[in-house]
Amino acid sequence: TSATVDLETIGSIVDTNADDQVNVLAGVINLQAASIGSIGNALDVSAAQALNADTSTAGGDMFLANQQGDLRVGQLRAGNVATITLDSSGQIVDANADDQINIEAGVINLLAAGVGSIDNPLDVFAVEKVNVDTSTVGGDIFLANLQDVLRVGDLDAGVGSISLQAV
């Protein structure tokens, strides 16, 4: 689909169905809220072109899941003490194909079949750390931060490879 969905609220965006069915489906998804999803009940999204979300004004956490194909991240921004957690059945990839930060938060947690690519690493900025797990399928991890320090926590690619780029 090539449609764009824009959701903006001063409150939270939550999955009231509490299941793994897609809550928001579009070509481009733009979310702005105090927080998105919750621990154990992520907001389920499917963005064919790009997912963009911002909770930085309120400093809230983000919990997003993707059950259909790759999760194409445009820009996700949370506060410096907030956590962004992404869970994708496919890869988590940079939708913009540039060196601009895709995910910015205090802590970044990524669970996927793979993250980034050799030609287009996922650009992250974590005040505290970034944790990535692709070990279930042994997917590769390609992370970059060409604007600041790349702070890593736990990276587990199983039999896959890990490539990090930083200033």
Side-chain angles (χ1 to χ4, degrees):
T1 181
S2 61
T4 298
V5 171
D6 296 308
L7 297 175
E8 183 176 343
T9 181
I10 59 171
S12 298
I13 300 173
V14 297
D15 176 357
T16 59
N17 297 327
D19 60 19
D20 290 338
Q21 299 301 311
V22 175
N23 301 111
V24 185
L25 170 68
V28 176
I29 299 173
N30 300 310
L31 308 173
Q32 187 166 355
S35 65
I36 300 171
S38 61
I39 294 175
N41 190 21
L43 184 70
D44 300 294
V45 298
S46 180
Q49 297 166 337
L51 170 66
N52 303 294
D54 191 337
T55 60
S56 63
T57 300
D61 296 330
M62 267 184 230
F63 299 90
L64 296 159
N66 176 60
Q67 305 300 329
Q68 300 178 352
D70 294 340
L71 179 55
R72 301 179 187 291
V73 176
Q75 185 177 49
L76 305 179
R77 293 182 59 228
N80 288 343
V81 296
T83 297
I84 293 178
T85 299
L86 303 179
D87 185 346
S88 178
S89 61
Q91 302 235 16
I92 298 174
V93 297
D94 179 348
N96 302 323
D98 60 20
D99 292 338
Q100 298 302 307
I101 298 297
N102 298 107
I103 306 174
E104 181 178 342
V107 175
I108 300 169
N109 300 308
L110 307 175
L111 177 63
V115 175
S117 68
I118 195 165
D119 297 326
N120 189 16
L122 190 68
D123 302 294
V124 297
F125 174 73
V127 172
E128 187 178 332
K129 63 183 173 180
V130 58
N131 302 302
V132 183
D133 186 350
T134 62
S135 64
T136 302
V137 296
D140 296 330
I141 299 171
F142 298 93
L143 294 175
N145 184 333
L146 301 179
Q147 300 173 14
D148 204 326
V149 175
L150 179 59
R151 294 174 179 87
V152 297
D154 297 320
L155 303 179
D156 186 352
V159 297
S161 62
I162 298 175
S163 173
L164 306 174
Q165 297 176 11
V167 291

